[in-house]
Amino acid sequence: MDETEISTTAEAYEAAALPRRIEVYADDSRKGGATPDGCVTDKPVARKSPAEWAYERLVLYIRDFEADLDNAHEVAMGFTGSQAGVLRIEGMGFFDPDIITFYGTDPQGIRTQLVQHISQLNVLLRALPKLVEAEKPRRIGFRLAQRLEDATREESPEAT
């Protein structure tokens, strides 16, 4: 629909209800799911889905946690309330309205994904020694925060 068309109330509600998915990874070798154009998370809290709002806050927690790590450690997530162990966080995303996803590997190097409803969200951030073959630690928190900052600049009225 172009800007000159008028949408009905039903069309406006339908467009607002379409699910969005955003994923960012520590390296560019893995690509996330399709992300529709205009998936910007910089908007008033009242207009954010619960998943989007939780995602943004987790990005800040992870970034701040990583800021205190030395070059020998990377961020990982412990699974609270279970025997599942830990997940080296290599990616994170959300799926509106209420799902948060974590992507990574377990200590044995097995690819792992946690899909969690926001009502069950409990995250334990842990510092794990970086992988031996990695030259420098991967900092997913800073990549996630940069994605949010870039989106804010792109949508800022001053930028246009």
Side-chain angles (χ1 to χ4, degrees):
M1 177 182 328
D2 68 32
E3 293 178 8
T4 60
E5 292 182 41
I6 298 173
S7 61
T8 66
T9 303
E11 291 169 332
Y13 276 112
E14 180 179 288
L18 292 175
R20 297 180 309 139
R21 182 176 180 174
I22 294 177
E23 297 172 345
V24 178
Y25 292 92
D27 61 35
D28 294 325
S29 66
R30 289 184 45 201
K31 302 295 181 199
T35 303
D37 292 334
C39 282
V40 177
T41 61
D42 183 45
K43 59 186 167 194
V45 173
R47 292 185 46 217
K48 294 178 185 179
S49 71
E52 183 177 13
W53 186 221
Y55 171 85
E56 286 186 19
R57 290 178 288 163
L58 282 167
V59 166
L60 298 176
Y61 281 118
I62 292 169
R63 185 197 63 195
D64 292 346
F65 184 84
E66 285 181 332
D68 292 331
L69 294 179
D70 60 25
N71 283 340
H73 292 86
E74 295 177 329
V75 68
M77 181 180 85
F79 295 108
T80 59
S82 76
Q83 299 294 323
V86 297
L87 165 88
R88 186 177 305 273
I89 301 173
E90 297 170 358
M92 191 175 92
F94 69 89
F95 202 127
D96 282 339
D98 54 8
I99 299 294
I100 298 288
T101 54
F102 296 92
Y103 304 90
T105 53
D106 69 10
Q108 292 78 38
I110 298 170
R111 188 172 167 204
T112 307
Q113 177 178 355
L114 171 67
V115 178
Q116 193 165 38
H117 190 272
I118 59 159
S119 67
Q120 300 296 314
L121 190 60
N122 290 302
V123 177
L124 171 68
L125 298 178
R126 297 187 59 189
L128 288 184
K130 71 179 176 100
L131 298 174
V132 176
E133 67 272 5
E135 185 175 301
K136 61 182 183 175
R138 294 177 292 176
R139 298 290 188 234
I140 183 66
F142 292 98
R143 284 184 69 104
L144 292 166
Q146 185 63 51
R147 170 76 156 62
L148 290 175
E149 290 169 11
D150 290 348
T152 299
R153 277 195 295 277
E154 290 170 8
E155 292 298 316
S156 172
E158 297 98 32
T160 57

